[in-house]
Amino acid sequence: MTERDIELILAQNIQLSLRIDLLDTDYITIGELQGYAISLSPSISSTSDVRRIMSLKMKLPDAEDLPAFIDNLWLDRLIRPYLGIDDDSGTPTMYLLGTYLLSDNRFSYNATTQEVDMSLVDMMAASTESRGSQIGGAGIIIPAETNARLALI
């Protein structure tokens, strides 16, 4: 954390922006949405196979990129949300919130309110049945004395 980050966080008026990058399985960005954060609800559970889940809702004032984003939005795509804190000039400083998968194929856009709503789950969901049986879990065998993180990557 830098002094600039602390200044942004301690500012009296904070404008939060949200950017969602859509990645393919090779972690290459194939789409992006940018707007303002309405709600962001991350949750971490130490007792669940899927440790991190997140619900987010964002205002999308310019929906120009939305059709291409939706065309590329498949269950095997990765989603990287970034939370931005805008400075006085309106330029956001972006902070990566993690890499997620779409949960239960839940993505919606309300054209009247210009709001995008989605639920996300962490990458462990790719190896479990926790995505509403949209995609079956991948069988993974981790041999004894193997680094579990390396085996899953």
Side-chain angles (χ1 to χ4, degrees):
M1 184 171 270
T2 66
E3 279 188 44
R4 174 83 174 127
D5 296 330
I6 294 169
E7 288 173 11
L8 286 171
I9 292 168
L10 295 177
Q12 288 192 1
N13 295 319
I14 295 178
Q15 178 73 40
L16 296 178
S17 57
L18 198 57
R19 185 179 91 212
I20 300 170
D21 287 354
L22 183 65
L23 311 171
D24 65 11
T25 54
D26 293 323
Y27 294 87
I28 296 171
T29 301
I30 58 173
E32 176 185 302
L33 292 178
Q34 200 152 357
Y36 297 99
I38 295 174
S39 68
L40 188 63
S41 303
S43 176
I44 300 173
S45 170
S46 63
T47 59
S48 174
D49 288 341
V50 179
R51 303 285 177 169
R52 297 181 305 146
I53 60 173
M54 180 182 298
S55 289
L56 62 85
K57 186 181 283 193
M58 69 187 288
K59 178 88 168 176
L60 195 63
D62 181 15
E64 183 179 300
D65 295 329
L66 187 62
F69 188 90
I70 291 173
D71 284 347
N72 288 314
L73 189 61
W74 294 88
L75 284 175
D76 66 339
R77 302 294 190 210
L78 305 172
I79 297 173
R80 277 199 180 141
Y82 291 83
L83 182 65
I85 301 176
D86 295 359
D87 63 15
D88 294 335
S89 68
T91 304
T93 299
M94 304 305 273
Y95 301 95
L96 177 62
L97 300 175
T99 302
Y100 293 88
L101 298 166
L102 193 61
S103 172
D104 297 327
N105 203 19
R106 189 170 164 272
F107 176 92
S108 65
Y109 176 70
N110 183 325
T112 305
T113 61
Q114 298 177 310
E115 293 176 1
V116 171
D117 188 10
M118 66 177 71
S119 291
L120 307 173
V121 292
D122 70 13
M123 301 289 289
M124 281 302 293
S127 65
T128 68
E129 293 287 339
S130 64
R131 294 177 73 195
S133 296
Q134 302 282 340
I135 295 177
I140 295 176
I141 297 172
I142 301 175
E145 298 184 23
T146 300
N147 182 320
R149 182 179 183 281
L150 294 176
L152 292 173
I153 295 175

